[in-house]
């Protein structure tokens, strides 16, 4: 009965959108191809599998909801469970600290491809492709400066770490037959007034030059900026201007993290500017509240505008989408599902936008008509299309996944001490 209702609503929606020149079937085909990189660190609050590490580097996870993943088996199980409630085929984004270290200590400058071979095998078996991140935080040598550290020994340590991460990403990309996107973000900065900003940025630039000296074919480098971190409020070495300048000069991807800018900045507005000067973009989508607080992504205006801008720029093939939040205050599998489905809903709404007519109005200077259609488009029956998309992908429609996740919590995660 429910399937019949979904089909009826979908047929009505198809006609409504067709009247505006939108082929809903084509839109669903486009959405099916959009792979979102799920972030492994939501499952365990960014702890990873190194022994005795605690979260540092200007970031923090808030909340103590029971049942977080305690080891690799639990983490993988949770990720697969979350993915089973999300329509489509998606990727997994790994931080270096999630390597398969076999219970032994492997320092960051000693990490090798072998520590991620089981991940590559697991990903292949489960139809997921991998992305990767170097990890400069949560380490005795992290401090406030890593790749920008004046101490040669510490800086060389992090350079070697990041070089090895690129080699791992290259092997991931080769094995999966699709480039692995490797993100480079460091927390480097200062809590208080800094009088030698140039020095640290010169060091950071030199570190990047050394790291990127080796060319690879099966991975893509992206550089991520940040406005500040907790305990590093006054100065960030890898500012937006630094990362944009470096990426443009060296044709690296730029990572736009929606929580890494001033509260009044629009991440969406950056898309068209950056795409004119770099080959591709990487997105880290979260929901900042007052700062980079990494709340679960929802279908809010900033996220919708970001995805609309991707479609309006005709850049689906030039923008990689990943999530980056770590909410420990609610069920972590639920957080995965809410955030990923919200991102997909935003993409669907962006693809369903009556763009041709809107552009026609804009070109003719018909401001009233443009604004009127933008407003009316908000009430179009996109949700009927979303329900059909979920149905076709054999995942729960609407709120059905809530009970499924509650069941998994009762039977699995609640029994973890």
């Amino acid at each position: 009965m429910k399937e019949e209702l979904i089909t009826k609503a979908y047929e009505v929606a198809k006609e409504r959108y067709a009247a505006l020149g939108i082929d809903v079937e084509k839109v669903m085909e486009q959405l099916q191809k959009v792979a979102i990189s799920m972030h492994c660190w939501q499952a365990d609050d960014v702890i990873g599998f190194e022994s005795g590490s605690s979260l540092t580097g200007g970031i923090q996870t808030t909340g103590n909801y029971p049942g977080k993943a305690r080891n690799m088996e639990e983490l993988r199980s949770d990720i697969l469970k979350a993915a089973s409630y999300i329509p489509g085929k998606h990727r997994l984004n790994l931080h270096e600290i999630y390597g398969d270290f076999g219970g032994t200590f492997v320092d960051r400058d000693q990490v090798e491809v072998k520590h991620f071979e089981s991940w590559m095998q697991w990903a292949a078996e489960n139809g997921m492709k991998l992305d990767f991140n170097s990890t400069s935080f949560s380490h005795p040598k992290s401090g406030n400066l890593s790749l920008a550290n004046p101490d040669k020994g510490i800086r060389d340590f992090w350079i070697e770490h990041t070089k090895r991460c690129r080699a791992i990403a290259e092997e991931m990309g080769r094995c999966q037959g699709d480039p692995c996107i490797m993100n480079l973000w460091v927390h480097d900065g200062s809590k208080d007034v800094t009088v030698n900003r140039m020095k640290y940025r010169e060091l950071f630039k030199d570190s990047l030059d050394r790291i990127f000296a080796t060319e690879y074919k099966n991975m893509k480098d992206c550089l991520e900026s940040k406005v500040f971190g907790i305990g590093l409020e006054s100065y960030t070495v890898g500012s937006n201007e630094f990362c944009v300048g470096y990426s443009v000069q060296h044709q690296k991807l730029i990572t736009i993290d929606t929580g890494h800018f001033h509260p009044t900045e629009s991440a969406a507005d950056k898309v068209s500017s950056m795409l004119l000067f770099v080959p591709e973009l990487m997105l880290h989508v979260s929901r900042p509240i007052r700062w980079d607080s990494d709340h679960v992504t929802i279908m809010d205006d900033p996220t919708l505008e970001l995805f609309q801008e991707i479609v309006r720029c005709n850049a689906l093939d030039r923008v990689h989408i990943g999530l980056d939040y770590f909410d420990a205050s609610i069920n972590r599998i639920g957080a995965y599902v809410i955030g990923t489905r919200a991102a997909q809903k935003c993409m669907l709404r962006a693809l369903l936008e009556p763009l041709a007519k809107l552009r026609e109005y804009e070109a003719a200077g018909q401001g009233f008509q443009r604004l009127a259609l933008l407003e009316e488009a908000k009430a179009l029956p996109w949700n009927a299309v979303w329900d059909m998309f979920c149905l076709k992908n054999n995942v729960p429609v609407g709120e059905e996944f809530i009970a499924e996740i509650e069941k998994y919590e009762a039977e699995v995660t609640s029994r973890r001490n």
Side-chain angles (χ1 to χ4, degrees), residues 30 34 271-272 274-276 278-283 306-321 347 351 355 359:
Q30 289 177 294
V34 175
V271 172
S272 57
M274 291 178 174
L275 283 174
L276 287 171
V278 294
E280 299 170 50
L281 298 176
M282 179 70 194
L283 303 182
L306 179 63
F307 285 84
Q308 284 175 330
E309 194 61 27
I310 296 167
V311 175
R312 292 170 182 175
C313 291
N314 192 30
L316 282 171
D317 60 340
R318 296 179 61 198
V319 179
H320 307 274
I321 303 167
M347 179 57 79
L351 290 167
L355 196 51
R359 283 177 170 160

Side-chain angles (χ1 to χ4, degrees), residues 95-320:
H95 249 287
E96 181 275 337
I97 54 174
Y98 289 83
D100 189 351
F101 303 120
T104 62
F105 174 71
V106 179
D107 214 346
R108 306 270 177 95
D109 65 340
Q110 299 299 313
V111 66
E112 299 179 56
V113 169
K114 67 181 182 182
H115 299 121
F116 290 88
E117 285 174 347
S118 72
W119 274 113
M120 292 181 232
Q121 182 180 349
W122 176 87
E125 290 170 354
N126 291 283
M128 297 182 97
K129 293 176 180 177
L130 299 173
D131 294 316
F132 201 52
N133 303 260
S134 55
T135 311
S136 67
F137 52 84
S138 301
H139 187 277
K141 292 185 179 178
S142 291
N144 291 338
L145 296 167
S146 60
L147 290 176
N149 203 310
D151 184 311
K152 183 179 182 300
I154 293 177
R155 188 161 74 99
D156 286 349
F157 175 90
W158 290 114
I159 290 171
E160 180 64 22
H161 163 74
T162 317
K163 283 181 176 180
R164 286 170 176 256
C165 286
R166 292 185 75 233
I168 292 166
E170 168 68 10
E171 182 61 15
M172 287 177 173
R174 189 193 67 79
C175 286
Q176 64 197 19
D178 188 65
C180 173
I181 312 300
M182 197 197 109
N183 190 55
L184 195 163
W185 169 76
V186 294
H187 58 281
D188 296 30
S190 174
K191 178 179 176 64
D192 219 324
V193 178
T194 305
V195 297
N196 211 348
R197 295 173 185 237
M198 180 66 86
K199 175 182 178 180
Y200 304 115
R201 288 187 171 131
E202 285 175 342
L203 290 169
F204 189 26
K205 180 181 181 299
D206 178 71
S207 294
L208 293 177
D209 290 344
R210 291 165 61 184
I211 289 164
F212 295 138
T214 301
E215 294 287 337
Y216 289 119
K217 295 180 180 179
N218 298 295
M219 58 85 69
K220 296 180 180 180
D221 297 296
C222 47
L223 194 57
E224 178 181 1
S225 69
K226 191 170 185 179
V227 66
F228 78 97
I230 294 296
L232 304 165
E233 292 86 357
S234 291
Y235 168 63
T236 300
V237 182
S239 65
N240 184 52
E241 292 75 15
F242 177 95
C243 291
V244 169
Y246 191 94
S247 297
V248 170
Q249 184 178 29
H250 298 278
Q251 289 300 283
K252 301 295 182 183
L253 281 67
I254 296 173
T255 298
I256 298 177
D257 186 306
T258 54
H260 284 196
F261 303 98
H262 292 281
T264 55
E265 281 188 278
S266 166
D269 188 50
K270 301 178 186 301
V271 172
S272 57
S273 294
M274 291 178 174
L275 283 174
L276 287 171
F277 300 103
V278 294
E280 299 170 50
L281 298 176
M282 179 70 194
L283 303 182
H284 278 187
V285 186
S286 69
R287 177 168 45 115
I289 297 183
R290 303 189 186 278
W291 71 289
D292 179 33
S293 47
D294 293 297
H295 289 66
V296 177
T297 299
I298 60 172
M299 192 178 58
D300 56 6
D301 287 344
T303 309
L304 179 58
E305 288 163 8
L306 179 63
F307 285 84
Q308 284 175 330
E309 194 61 27
I310 296 167
V311 175
R312 292 170 182 175
C313 291
N314 192 30
L316 282 171
D317 60 340
R318 296 179 61 198
V319 179
H320 307 274

